[in-house]
Amino acid sequence: MEGVFDLDRLNIALAVVSLALLVGMLAFVDVGKVAATLSHADPLLALAALLVGFVGLSLRTVRWGVLVREKAAVPWRDLYVIQCSGMAVSHFSPGKVLEVVKAVPLKRFGLSYSFVLLSIVWERVMDLLVIFAFTFLALPAFDEALRLVLLAVFALVVLVAIASFRHLERLITLLARLPFLGFLARVQAHNFRKRTLAAAFLLTLVSWLADAVAALLAFKSLGVDVEFLRLASAYMASIIVGILSFLPGGLGSTEAVMVFLLKGGGYPLAVILGGVLLARAFTLGVSVVVGFALLPLVRK
């Protein structure tokens, strides 16, 4: 009970920090202009952004299905409900640590916690590899200290990916020696097939590109013309910073970084912030709304 209480207090504290960051951002712009910008969004482009954001979310379920299919063919409906709900819940936990709860409802399909946990780890590793690939385009805009942190995290992700592919059992044994990872001693290694990982990685790439396209359409709906690679790198770099901030959904930190990377180009700050808020609504917002709407359908 004490651990749960501490986690609740941490979530509340982080939520307060996120709110403070968002309020701080709005203090530097004319809120009325931001609202006016959003009210003039092209409805057709906004709808297209919404649909593409939904496609990106759905592709993540297809990706997870490719991974879990090595052990069991889980019906698409059940997998979709579990994936979307798990993602929504994890958005509001520090560092998305609660995504492991997705393992619980899959138990009834004969999948062990160990196997599902490994599939989730591969999901996150692939996500980070794709995000970092685009983040490198935005690195020059950061100060040296943050660049070093980002490069160090990327190097760690690459090492984990290589070790997981070639020496998974040894990696699990090594990590289980750490005090806070002792539970890994009960995890049974499973080496995914090369073609499974290749297909999952391709779906990961396409799903993140779909998110970037949704963000691009969100900006275009406001009349903001941003080069796709610049927007994609800014979007994914801000996601990385949001993850490292441990704030729920990266709220506050993600938006601030994205505004910082996209400001200029002849557009007022209020318009850029409006585009960022709209882009987040069609990516993170879609994931949260769909996930919590499906949460009552999860069967354990």
Side-chain angles (χ1 to χ4, degrees):
M1 289 297 293
E2 182 179 351
V4 174
F5 178 68
D6 289 341
L7 181 60
D8 287 341
R9 288 198 300 182
L10 177 59
N11 283 333
I12 293 173
L14 292 174
V16 170
V17 173
S18 289
L19 182 61
L21 285 171
L22 289 172
V23 171
M25 264 198 310
L26 293 175
F28 288 97
V29 298
D30 188 326
V31 178
K33 289 183 178 179
V34 175
T37 297
L38 293 174
S39 68
H40 288 91
D42 184 313
L44 290 179
L45 288 175
L47 177 60
L50 176 64
L51 293 176
V52 175
F54 183 76
V55 168
L57 174 63
S58 300
L59 284 173
R60 287 170 170 82
T61 301
V62 178
R63 186 255 318 260
W64 197 35
V66 167
L67 291 170
V68 301
R69 189 172 289 274
E70 287 210 351
K71 287 287 187 179
V74 181
W76 164 257
R77 176 189 178 279
D78 295 282
L79 198 66
Y80 192 80
V81 168
I82 296 168
Q83 172 76 313
C84 293
S85 300
M87 289 176 61
V89 171
S90 72
H91 283 317
F92 294 93
S93 63
K96 298 188 176 183
V97 296
L98 287 183
E99 191 161 8
V100 295
V101 300
K102 294 192 305 185
V104 177
L106 283 184
K107 187 71 174 177
R108 66 188 180 91
F109 294 102
L111 295 171
S112 68
Y113 292 138
S114 294
F115 173 77
V116 179
L117 177 60
L118 290 175
S119 72
I120 294 171
V121 169
W122 270 115
E123 281 189 293
R124 297 292 73 75
V125 168
M126 291 179 183
D127 282 337
L128 290 173
L129 288 175
V130 170
I131 296 173
F132 268 114
F134 285 90
T135 298
F136 282 131
L137 299 175
L139 278 181
F142 295 112
D143 61 50
E144 185 176 358
L146 185 52
R147 284 203 301 268
L148 290 175
V149 171
L150 292 173
L151 289 172
V153 173
F154 176 68
L156 179 61
V157 172
V158 171
L159 288 174
V160 169
I162 294 173
S164 298
F165 182 68
R166 298 180 62 88
H167 307 288
L168 183 57
E169 292 186 18
R170 293 182 183 178
L171 178 63
I172 292 175
T173 300
L174 180 63
L175 293 176
R177 294 176 182 175
L178 300 175
F180 56 93
L181 293 177
F183 68 93
L184 290 177
R186 298 189 295 273
V187 173
Q188 297 177 348
H190 173 81
N191 294 309
F192 288 91
R193 292 192 294 265
K194 292 180 181 179
R195 63 183 181 183
T196 296
L197 295 178
F201 183 79
L202 180 60
L203 287 165
T204 300
L205 175 61
V206 176
S207 65
W208 280 106
L209 286 175
D211 280 1
V213 171
L216 182 68
L217 290 170
F219 273 86
K220 285 187 175 298
S221 73
L222 301 179
V224 179
D225 189 18
V226 185
E227 189 212 3
F228 178 72
L229 278 180
R230 184 189 175 201
L231 179 61
S233 62
Y235 173 74
M236 296 192 196
S238 66
I239 292 293
I240 285 291
V241 175
I243 293 173
L244 293 177
S245 72
F246 267 65
L247 296 174
L251 289 175
S253 58
T254 300
E255 290 77 13
V257 171
M258 198 169 174
V259 169
F260 168 73
L261 293 174
L262 293 175
K263 66 181 180 180
Y267 296 101
L269 190 60
V271 175
I272 296 297
L273 179 56
V276 169
L277 294 177
L278 208 55
R280 290 283 277 165
F282 293 141
T283 51
L284 175 69
V286 168
S287 175
V288 169
V289 171
V290 172
F292 279 111
L294 294 177
L295 189 58
L297 301 180
V298 176
R299 290 163 46 190
K300 297 181 181 179

